[in-house]
Amino acid sequence: MRIAIDAMGGDNAPKIVVEGALAAAKEWKDVHIILVGNSAVIEAHLTERPANISIRHAEEVIEAEDEPVKAVRRKKDASMVVAGKLVREKEAEAMISAGNTGALMTTGLLVVGRIPGIERPALAPMIPTMDGNGVLALDLGANMDATPEQLLQYAIMGSIYRSKVHGVSKPRVGLLNVGTEAAKGNELTKAAYPLMEQGPIHFVGNVESSQVLRAKCDVIVCDGFAGNIMLKSLEGAASAIFSALKQEFTKSIFTKLAAAVLKPGLTQFRKKLDYNEHGAAPFLGIDGLVLKSHGSSDANAIKNAVRQARIALQNDLVGTISAEISHGKRDITT
């Protein structure tokens, strides 16, 4: 399994990216990692050279502030674009990047290409839940708008992903809405609801954002505008809560003692909400496995992204989505 990693993408590249790739190469010998970027810079951080790591030189880098479409079209030798070409030309089965999200989406569309029949690919990160299993949410920002039919495609792809990658039997699919009643919502959700009911998925109805962290469903479907607002609201709330707790626990000797007692539980709780544990978010609908790691990913997150890619490849995620979309049906019991 050949996995191309954009070594120059992300806030902590290339050092952290190389460290994560090295850790993954050591653990999974059935994976061959191709580090894409400036070879001299990569080699400076590559403390060891396992047989299952190689380097593909790329002169340019797509920066966080670059306009996605222009950058992908003009920077033909950028590390992200070169990694996409490796997937397109079947020199790699997957690619991972912690770089510019819009540019990675554009690379997926313009360089790798869409699965035939998929109208719009979706960004599908895992949102942590209180039971520790998480919920796959899509779309969370690849497309601001969507049609009811596209929401159904998201639901099908998300259901396949949870089944193939996470081993969830008959994943529960929910539609993000302002209420649980079938008639609630805007024109988009009201039109999507009957399609979901009739679709080849295990649809559990509308799900409010307040129920997401309580694992009301395994897959939550929405348009990118609503999904991105939900994600950033959850991230902001979590950050504010932990900041407030830190202030309270450092006010006096008594609160510091209380913090010492509660630390193991709080650490475990924080781990549940840590994106580094989930690794990366796939762009579902691309005709090749494309994974987006968080821009601030540490080495563990990069390693976990490789783990995700490895499982997805072992279970032929892209091939399964392609087959189900082209056939227009799927058996949700398998």
Side-chain angles (χ1 to χ4, degrees):
M1 291 176 282
R2 298 165 298 177
I3 301 172
I5 300 181
D6 172 14
M8 314 307 288
D11 301 343
N12 304 308
K15 183 177 184 294
I16 292 300
V17 178
V18 173
E19 287 179 3
L22 187 57
K26 287 180 179 178
E27 181 153 346
W28 299 297
K29 301 299 184 183
D30 57 353
V31 167
H32 183 90
I33 294 174
I34 307 168
L35 290 169
V36 184
N38 186 297
S39 57
V41 175
I42 293 172
E43 286 175 352
H45 295 288
L46 198 59
T47 55
E48 300 177 52
R49 191 67 176 268
N52 58 336
I53 278 189
S54 61
I55 298 172
R56 178 65 63 93
H57 182 72
E59 282 287 341
E60 299 175 289
V61 177
I62 292 179
E63 306 291 350
E65 63 273 13
D66 284 347
E67 197 284 318
V69 177
K70 288 181 180 178
V72 171
R73 285 178 171 166
R74 293 176 181 176
K75 295 184 175 181
K76 302 291 187 183
D77 199 34
S79 54
M80 184 186 293
V81 176
V82 173
K85 290 177 181 176
L86 292 177
V87 176
R88 182 190 66 197
E89 294 165 8
K90 309 302 180 186
E91 292 183 51
E93 285 74 48
M95 71 167 287
I96 298 166
S97 177
N100 185 314
T101 303
L104 184 59
M105 179 64 176
T106 303
T107 297
L109 286 170
L110 300 184
V111 179
V112 182
R114 283 179 296 181
I115 291 173
I118 293 292
E119 293 185 24
R120 290 184 180 179
L123 179 63
M126 287 292 294
I127 293 178
T129 54
M130 299 307 295
D131 64 359
N133 293 323
V135 57
L136 186 76
L138 66 168
D139 177 24
L140 260 61
N143 312 282
M144 290 297 105
D145 299 299
T147 65
E149 292 75 18
Q150 287 163 0
L151 291 186
L152 177 59
Q153 285 193 343
Y154 295 168
I156 293 171
M157 292 191 295
S159 190
I160 293 172
Y161 185 85
R162 292 242 57 183
S163 175
K164 291 289 185 179
V165 177
H166 298 145
V168 179
S169 177
K170 201 175 179 182
R172 300 164 297 157
V173 180
L175 178 64
L176 183 66
N177 212 326
V178 295
T180 58
E181 299 87 352
K184 282 287 185 75
N186 56 17
E187 294 304 316
L188 173 63
T189 56
K190 285 188 282 189
Y193 193 98
L195 294 181
M196 298 281 194
E197 281 188 309
Q198 299 162 17
I201 54 173
H202 178 38
F203 183 54
V204 295
N206 290 329
V207 174
E208 297 180 12
S209 57
S210 61
Q211 299 173 310
V212 172
L213 296 182
R214 299 184 181 276
K216 184 72 174 180
C217 55
D218 303 302
V219 178
I220 186 79
V221 175
C222 52
D223 63 86
F225 183 76
N228 198 262
I229 289 175
M230 175 184 68
L231 177 65
K232 288 177 179 174
S233 295
L234 291 173
E235 288 178 339
S239 177
I241 289 170
F242 281 114
S243 294
L245 286 173
K246 186 176 181 179
Q247 289 179 357
E248 291 297 321
F249 283 137
T250 55
K251 279 186 173 180
S252 69
I253 185 64
F254 300 106
T255 57
K256 288 178 180 178
L257 288 171
V261 174
L262 294 172
K263 186 177 180 180
L266 289 172
T267 300
Q268 190 61 32
F269 177 61
R270 186 163 194 161
K271 189 175 182 181
K272 284 183 180 180
L273 302 179
D274 187 359
Y275 64 83
N276 285 315
E277 296 298 319
H278 295 280
F283 278 108
L284 298 180
I286 300 295
D287 197 17
L289 190 60
V290 177
L291 292 167
K292 171 68 175 74
S293 288
H294 198 287
S296 299
S297 291
D298 62 13
N300 187 51
I302 299 299
K303 178 184 175 183
N304 280 329
V306 174
R307 173 181 52 78
Q308 282 178 266
R310 179 175 177 268
I311 295 171
L313 292 173
Q314 286 175 329
N315 290 281
D316 191 24
L317 173 68
V318 174
T320 302
I321 291 175
S322 180
E324 299 298 350
I325 293 298
S326 64
H327 294 159
K329 62 182 181 177
R330 67 179 300 260
D331 181 0
I332 62 171
T333 63
T334 59

